[in-house]
Amino acid sequence: MIPRFGPGSFNLVRVDEGERFQAMIEVHEQEEIPLPRILIVDDEPDFLRFLCLHFERQGHRVRVAGSVKDAIRLAEEFAPEILIADWMLGESMDGVDVCTYLRRRDSKLRTVLMTGRVDPPDFPMVAERVVDRRLDKPFFLEKLDTLLSELDVEQREGG
Amino acid sequence: MESKRYRDLLDGIPHAIQECDASGVITFASRSNQEISGFTPEELVGTAIWERLVAAEDRERLREYLTYIVEAQPPPTPYHCTEQTKDGRRLELRVDWRYRRDGEGNPIGFISCLTDVTQQRDAERQQQRTKAELEQRVQERTEELQSIYDAMVDGVLIVDVLHDRVLRVNQAAERIMGYTMEELEVTPFSRVVPPARSQRVLEKLKALQEGTLKIAQSLPCIRKDGSEVRVDVTGGSIRYQGVPAAIFFLREEMDRDPYEDFLLEAEKSLPQLAANMRDVFWLCDRDANRVLYVSPSYEQTWGRSREELYANADAFCESVHPEDRKALWRHLRGSEKRSGSHQRFRILRPDGSVRWIHNRSFPIRDASGHAFRAIRISEDVTEVVESERAMHRSERLASLGTLAAGIAHEINNPIGAALIAAQTAIAVHDDPNAKQVVVDCLRNVVEAMDRCGRIVRNILRLARDEPRERSLECLSEIIRHAVDMSRESARKRGVTILESLDPSSPKLLLNAMEIELVLLNLIRNATEAKGANIWIRTEESARHVRVVVEDDGEGLDDERRTRGFDPFYTSRLDEGGTGLGLSIAHRIVADHLGNITLEPRSPKGARAVVEFPKAEASARTGQVFVE
């Protein structure tokens, strides 16, 4: 089931970074148990946009980054609890590198690595330690939701 | 009494004694006359001494001689004469004589002592004859040897090993050494052959003294003029004129005509070779193009009898696969004028099977250079062709595998995005404020699906297993396809592809799929060169069309420049390079009779140039290789 949209209003006509979906976020901040903060890193703008919309509608606070540099900057100020990163970012640092870097700064950070690659033997050793879930593209949003709730449970039990 | 004693004494000696007066009449004869001549003393006394002689002129001469010695009284010297015995045998006598003188010293007669020398003289004559015969034989033999000596091409040199002296040489040795015979005979051997070598040879010969040592080696000889000549020396030790000597036979190392040697060798081995080799060996009449000889292996390879081939001039042509006949005929006509060209063609065997034959042809020329025969060597390469094809397939699969992994990534991304977009659209579709979101979502889905479709189409084109088909294709179109497929991955690496293609460039006889593979490989290489731009353009010259792929990346080191086309060479092993890309590209381009080169680009980066012959040219020559 696709989560139903909560109370409040939003305007999606303009998509300005940092300000988008502000109204929606405010709605969810009033809830008792705040949902985990999510940082999404991908080099596909549409992909970012739709994922962002999806999680915001669930009540998550979400930040999106189109590059590694943005991701690191946003992580500083936003302190995400969950990182969703695409593996191939078309830069010298890839998704695994971002996971490694941010996890070193915040060991509680849960990570999901999205990948379109079909060659699992290439999955680097380091990724085993810094990536909590691997998600092969294409995937349904429900699958992503499931992974997040699994991580949430693990987090609570571990914490 | 005294007289009787003397008489007995005279009768006892083995010589005959006669006494005669000054006129030659015998006055006394001893008894032993009878033993020698058979005449009794009584018969002899009273006869003249010359009456016994056989020859009339001897008798006359003796009479004259008698007169002379009576008158001149020379000192007596023995003489020989021939008489006859009483029974008619020839009797040779040596006569010693003395004067009988009176009280005043005047000769009054002679005393002769006759000795029978018949046997002795016979033996002497026999000995003389034998000696003469021997001398003649020796003379003849010597002349024979001399003529052999002088006629010999090899030099003969006989050396006194103890005194380092040349004893004898022949004319050939003179010529080889540059010395005359007389000069050589007074020249130490060690001056003729460099001392280091001659000493060793002589030492050996000396140690052995006589007999068996034989040598055979190549020695440098010093000629009289100081120049050096290499000779093959054989020889051994002998005794010559009673001294230990060495005889050497000298042969100049001549510049032999290697072709003659080859012919001699070939003549001996050719029939065996032809009969035993697996390849089929043909000898054809150039003018009539008739088969003069074909080796037995023809029957196995062709599955036909040789008799049929000899009998029917068209049999060969009929055995060739109809599609290959024209090309083969052209090849044979051309190649049997030129040397060493080769050709592949198919034959049909009577059992219906098809075999691949690799044929090499050579002309045989007469002295005037006219090619009057042709040799063909045909090898059954069916297994080779099949394994080449298998190799080709596996190479393609390998490159396809590499490509597929990359392409899957390309496809999964848009599908993933489309899925998310579609789900988002469903989620927000009844929200009147989210109309634009829905539109954006749908547009995203359309774009992503279109991209997927294009990629899949391209993969299918690559995967299709029809590599050999060629048709007239627009090169620019193929390049555009390859660029489309590569653009996304290039963008992700921050590389921009700029193409400048001439849509009006002539169509070429190409296999589009293979050429696209070549371009994909080149573009991928350029993409991975860590530059910012890739330029692709086409160029055209009178006979060729070129595709130039340039990048401004890290360029080529020497190794990559020289080894780039080697199979399995990769500089990106850690990034999953298989090392097959460029080698496949190279082979494909070569198959198209084209050429591919890698070179550095100024100021930085690399340039790959692929050159194809224009359609007409490639259609003409390409057909030969169509399989």
Side-chain angles (χ1 to χ4, degrees), chain B residues 328-471:
Chain B
L328 178 64
W329 194 242
R330 201 162 42 221
H331 155 77
L332 289 180
R333 263 189 315 196
S335 69
E336 285 167 7
K337 286 180 204 138
R338 289 187 312 275
S339 246
S341 70
H342 50 95
Q343 163 82 331
R344 265 187 195 179
F345 60 93
R346 286 163 293 178
I347 55 164
L348 296 169
R349 297 212 284 201
D351 62 8
S353 60
V354 173
R355 305 295 292 176
W356 276 98
I357 303 294
H358 182 90
N359 189 74
R360 279 166 293 157
S361 302
F362 319 87
I364 298 187
R365 301 178 189 283
D366 58 18
S368 65
H370 169 68
F372 73 115
R373 293 266 192 281
I375 284 182
R376 293 183 206 151
I377 296 168
S378 304
E379 185 186 357
D380 185 337
V381 291
T382 311
E383 279 79 22
V384 177
V385 170
E386 272 164 9
S387 73
E388 273 175 10
R389 285 180 165 179
M391 180 95 89
H392 187 93
R393 265 197 297 277
S394 69
E395 267 178 28
R396 262 162 29 81
L397 285 177
S399 64
L400 211 66
T402 317
L403 217 64
I407 288 165
H409 179 231
E410 301 294 303
I411 287 183
N412 284 338
N413 269 326
I415 291 180
L419 201 55
I420 301 303
Q423 282 195 310
T424 305
I426 292 169
V428 303
H429 80 279
D430 51 2
D431 187 327
N433 296 323
K435 214 169 170 182
Q436 186 59 40
V437 177
V438 175
V439 172
D440 287 348
C441 286
L442 292 177
R443 184 181 42 77
N444 183 280
V445 170
V446 171
E447 280 174 8
M449 289 303 110
D450 177 46
R451 213 169 101 201
C452 286
R454 267 187 291 132
I455 291 168
V456 168
R457 267 197 304 282
N458 281 331
I459 294 170
L460 283 179
R461 276 157 39 77
L462 274 173
R464 222 175 287 138
D465 190 17
E466 42 194 41
R468 296 282 161 172
E469 254 174 41
R470 285 174 201 176
S471 49

Side-chain angles (χ1 to χ4, degrees), chain B residues 81-275:
Chain B
C81 61
T82 305
E83 292 184 3
Q84 220 166 13
T85 57
K86 196 176 175 184
D87 54 8
R89 281 185 298 111
R90 189 176 54 90
L91 183 64
E92 291 198 36
L93 295 171
R94 174 193 157 102
V95 182
D96 295 274
W97 60 277
R98 288 285 181 277
Y99 294 104
R100 282 175 60 221
R101 301 178 194 274
D102 58 13
E104 289 160 13
N106 296 321
I108 54 165
F110 310 96
I111 298 168
S112 308
C113 175
L114 288 74
T115 314
D116 179 357
V117 293
T118 313
Q119 282 183 354
Q120 191 188 333
R121 289 298 291 254
D122 280 352
E124 269 174 21
R125 269 195 296 275
Q126 183 62 36
Q127 202 175 354
Q128 260 173 17
R129 263 201 308 280
T130 313
K131 195 179 162 202
E133 270 172 33
L134 268 177
E135 269 172 5
Q136 187 172 356
R137 212 177 298 167
V138 166
Q139 180 69 24
E140 281 170 11
R141 217 22 72 79
T142 308
E143 278 167 14
E144 248 174 57
L145 275 176
Q146 189 62 47
S147 63
I148 292 175
Y149 252 43
D150 292 340
M152 271 173 82
V153 176
D154 293 351
V156 175
L157 191 67
I158 297 173
V159 180
D160 177 347
V161 290
L162 294 178
H163 304 102
D164 188 9
R165 212 155 47 84
V166 175
L167 297 175
R168 189 176 178 113
V169 294
N170 69 347
Q171 289 177 357
E174 287 183 301
R175 181 178 48 75
I176 294 171
M177 305 290 208
Y179 286 94
T180 66
M181 206 172 292
E182 291 71 29
E183 286 168 339
L184 265 178
E185 280 166 4
V186 296
T187 304
F189 179 58
S190 54
R191 196 186 295 163
V192 179
V193 175
R197 304 296 296 272
S198 62
Q199 278 313 310
R200 235 181 13 241
V201 174
L202 288 174
E203 285 307 318
K204 272 195 201 169
L205 289 169
K206 241 182 265 184
L208 228 90
Q209 283 295 330
E210 197 170 333
T212 52
L213 180 70
K214 291 182 177 61
I215 57 163
Q217 57 182 286
S218 173
L219 279 182
C221 277
I222 301 161
R223 292 165 60 90
K224 189 182 175 189
D225 61 14
S227 65
E228 197 181 288
V229 57
R230 275 206 90 80
V231 288
D232 287 331
V233 178
T234 53
S237 46
I238 55 168
R239 281 192 85 79
Y240 187 80
Q241 294 170 351
V243 297
I247 183 164
F248 297 112
F249 300 95
L250 316 174
R251 175 168 293 182
E252 277 176 292
E253 284 182 0
M254 278 184 271
D255 293 333
R256 288 234 292 260
D257 186 349
Y259 185 63
E260 229 162 74
D261 286 352
F262 166 76
L263 280 185
L264 219 67
E265 187 69 28
E267 230 167 75
K268 276 184 265 173
S269 48
L270 211 63
Q272 277 193 43
L273 184 74

Side-chain angles (χ1 to χ4, degrees), chain A residues 2 4-5 10-13 43-44 46-47 49-51 53-54 57 86 88-91 115-119 137-142, chain B residues 405 408-409 412-413 415-417 419-421 423-424 426-428 430-431 433-434 436-437 440-441 443-444 447 451 488 491-494:
Chain A
I2 297 163
R4 296 301 305 165
F5 198 52
F10 63 95
N11 182 352
L12 281 177
V13 177
D43 61 343
E44 291 266 353
D46 281 343
F47 203 71
R49 183 181 159 200
F50 298 134
L51 281 184
L53 179 57
H54 172 70
R57 284 173 42 126
D86 191 17
M88 304 303 284
L89 295 170
E91 296 184 54
T115 169
R117 282 172 72 157
V118 290
D119 36 4
K137 290 182 190 176
F139 54 85
F140 285 96
L141 287 169
E142 288 84 343
Chain B
H409 179 231
N412 284 338
N413 269 326
I415 291 180
L419 201 55
I420 301 303
Q423 282 195 310
T424 305
I426 292 169
V428 303
D430 51 2
D431 187 327
N433 296 323
Q436 186 59 40
V437 177
D440 287 348
C441 286
R443 184 181 42 77
N444 183 280
E447 280 174 8
R451 213 169 101 201
E488 192 55 30
R491 190 186 63 78
K492 289 207 162 183
R493 287 178 173 266

